[in-house]
Amino acid sequence: MDFSLRIMLLIFACVISQLLILSSSQSCSSYSFLNQNTYRACSDLGVLKSFLHWNYNETTGTIEIAYRHASIKSQTWVAWAINPSRKGMVGSQAFVAHQTSAGIVQAYTSPVTTYGTGLEEGPLSFPVQKISAEFVNNEMIIYSMFVLPKNMTTVNHVWQDGPVNKDNSLGMHALTGENVISLATLDFLSGQIVATKLGDGSSNLMFKKIHGGLNMVSWGILMPIGVMTARYMKVLALKLRPNKENKYRTYWNIYHHGIGYSVIILSIINILKGINILEAVMIWKPIYIAILIFFGIIAAILETWTWNIVLNKRLQTSNDDSGKEKISSLGL
Ligand SMILES: *[C@@H]1O[C@H](CO)[C@@H](O)[C@H](O)[C@H]1NC(C)=O
Ligand SMILES: *[C@@H]1O[C@H](CO)[C@@H](O)[C@H](O)[C@H]1NC(C)=O
C-alpha cells in the first residue's frame, strides 16, 4: 500500500474514533440526591466512577460541591481536590472522606504537601465553610462549600481512592490504571453552560486519554513499523537496489526519506511531550522509550543487512556489463 495512503487511513481511523467518543453521553445530570440538594452543573469525571456536581456563585466566589464516588468498598477512602498552583498531586487542597472501622463516616480537609502524605487533617489555602459526607449503597458522597478568589474560576482538580488501614490511617492509592489519570481542568463558570452539551473538562479527560492512546499507538508505534516494513520488505522482495545514474533520482530519494524520517521524529517528540503534559501517566514514558529502543535495534540490524545486499549487488553489477539494463524503478 502506498505510504501516504496508509497515513490517510490512520488519520481517518483517529477521527472516527474521536467522533464516537464525543457522542457518548453524560450520566451525571439524571442523578437525584437523597437529601434533595440540587446543583446547576455536573460533570462525569470519566475515571474512578466519579462525578462532580456544583453550584457557582459569581458574585461571592462561593462554590458548593457534591463529589460522588460510586462502587467502593467500606474500607476505602476517597478524596477530591483542587490544585490552585499546578497540575497533579502536590499542592492539592483536598476534601477527604472515609468510613472508620466503627462505621462512622468522617469528612475533613487536607492540604497535600508531599507525595508521602497520609492525608492528615489540616486547613486549606482558601476558606471552607462546610464539609460533610455520606456513605450509601457503596457510594461515598462528599458535600462541601468553599470560597475561591473571584478570578479563579478554572482550576486543576484531582480525585482519588485508596485503602483504609486497620488503625484507620489511610493507605497509598494505586499507582496504576485509572488512579494515575484521575486529574483534569475544571471551569466552574463555563462548565455550567457546557456540562450538558459536550461533556466538559472531565469527559475531556477521557477523551484525552483515548486520544493520547490512539496517537501513541498509531503515530508512535504503527508508523515506525509501517516505515520499517516499507523500507526493508522492498529489499526482501527484490533483493536488488537500482544502480541509478540519474542524480535527480538521488535528490528525490533524499527528499523522500528526509520527509519520512522527519515525520517519525516529530511524532516521537509529540508523544513524549504528551506524556509529560499528562504527568500522571509518566509510567508510559519508560515503556515507550523501551519500545523505541527495540525498534532502533531492529532497524539497525535490518539496515546493516540491507546495505550488505546493496553493496553485494553493486559489486555484482559493476562486474557485469549488462548491469545498466537491469535498472529497476525501485526507489530505496
Ligand atoms: C450569590 O450570593 C449572593 C450573596 O449571598 C446572593 O444574594 C445571590 O442570590 C447568590 N446568587 C446565586 C446565583 O445563588
Ligand atoms: C487573582 O487576584 C489576586 C488578588 O486580587 C491576585 O493576586 C492574583 O494574581 C490573581 N490571579 C489571577 C490568575 O489573575
Side-chain angles (χ1 to χ4, degrees):
M1 200 191 303
D2 183 53
F3 182 66
S4 50
L5 183 61
R6 213 174 315 181
I7 290 185
M8 291 298 287
L9 280 178
L10 273 177
I11 293 171
F12 185 67
C14 289
V15 168
I16 291 293
S17 49
Q18 286 173 3
L19 287 177
L20 288 177
I21 295 155
L22 280 174
S23 63
S24 69
S25 63
Q26 184 99 356
S27 63
C28 65
S29 48
S30 56
Y31 186 86
S32 43
F33 287 86
L34 286 176
N35 62 9
Q36 312 291 315
N37 278 13
T38 55
Y39 299 91
R40 281 188 296 275
C42 77
S43 166
D44 185 336
L45 299 186
V47 291
L48 296 179
K49 298 187 171 62
S50 293
F51 309 88
L52 188 72
H53 303 251
W54 75 93
N55 290 321
Y56 181 59
N57 187 323
E58 261 185 89
T59 328
T60 56
T62 305
I63 298 161
E64 232 182 324
I65 61 117
Y67 165 74
R68 298 196 286 124
H69 188 319
S71 306
I72 58 167
K73 298 189 200 98
S74 57
Q75 289 299 296
T76 304
W77 60 262
V78 307
W80 175 79
I82 284 176
N83 195 332
S85 49
R86 52 190 289 266
K87 281 194 165 72
M89 180 173 155
V90 171
S92 290
Q93 307 294 308
F95 301 83
V96 187
H98 67 89
Q99 201 174 25
T100 64
S101 39
I104 299 159
V105 175
Q106 294 194 324
Y108 60 90
T109 58
S110 171
V112 177
T113 49
T114 65
Y115 281 108
T117 182
L119 289 176
E120 292 83 6
E121 186 166 356
L124 302 187
S125 63
F126 46 81
V128 176
Q129 296 166 339
K130 284 183 207 165
I131 179 163
S132 64
E134 65 182 21
F135 184 62
V136 185
N137 297 332
N138 289 327
E139 180 170 73
M140 184 69 89
I141 308 179
I142 302 177
Y143 299 98
S144 184
M145 193 164 158
F146 53 92
V147 186
L148 286 185
K150 280 185 204 170
N151 57 5
M152 195 189 280
T153 62
T154 301
V155 295
N156 301 308
H157 68 139
V158 282
W159 56 100
Q160 270 303 346
D161 60 26
V164 178
N165 301 324
K166 291 241 158 54
D167 63 356
N168 287 326
S169 65
L170 308 188
M172 193 171 169
H173 67 77
L175 292 173
T176 53
E178 297 195 339
N179 289 83
V180 293
I181 51 167
S182 51
L183 78 172
T185 305
L186 178 69
D187 186 346
F188 286 118
L189 210 53
S190 74
Q192 286 171 291
I193 301 156
V194 296
T196 50
K197 233 167 75 191
L198 244 192
D200 54 351
S202 59
S203 20
N204 267 340
L205 172 74
M206 199 62 186
F207 171 79
K208 269 188 248 165
K209 186 176 115 187
I210 298 172
H211 173 86
L214 280 174
N215 261 345
M216 186 155 153
V217 170
S218 63
W219 291 104
I221 298 174
L222 292 183
M223 202 170 66
I225 290 178
V227 172
M228 279 162 68
T229 312
R231 177 161 173 76
Y232 302 115
M233 290 306 130
K234 277 185 197 170
V235 186
L236 186 68
L238 297 163
K239 287 204 169 194
L240 176 80
R241 183 185 165 87
N243 192 7
K244 280 265 181 188
E245 308 289 299
N246 188 340
K247 68 176 175 175
Y248 295 109
R249 181 50 177 251
T250 312
Y251 293 145
W252 190 85
N253 277 346
I254 291 170
Y255 163 80
H256 178 80
H257 295 152
I259 295 279
Y261 290 135
S262 317
V263 169
I264 295 182
I265 289 166
L266 283 177
S267 39
I268 288 172
I269 292 172
N270 193 14
I271 283 157
L272 290 175
K273 254 174 78 180
I275 292 175
N276 282 341
I277 289 167
L278 278 173
E279 67 168 10
V281 290
M282 279 303 227
I283 186 148
W284 282 103
K285 201 171 178 173
I287 296 174
Y288 183 58
I289 288 173
I291 293 174
L292 285 182
I293 291 172
F294 176 72
F295 281 164
I297 292 170
I298 300 234
I301 294 169
L302 291 174
E303 192 71 39
T304 321
W305 177 72
T306 307
W307 279 101
N308 259 333
I309 292 175
V310 166
L311 294 179
N312 283 341
K313 200 75 211 171
R314 277 198 181 155
L315 224 63
Q316 268 180 34
T317 21
S318 58
N319 293 340
D320 178 1
D321 285 342
S322 62
K324 277 171 193 159
E325 268 115 68
K326 280 191 180 171
I327 290 166
S328 110
S329 65
L330 181 67
L332 188 69

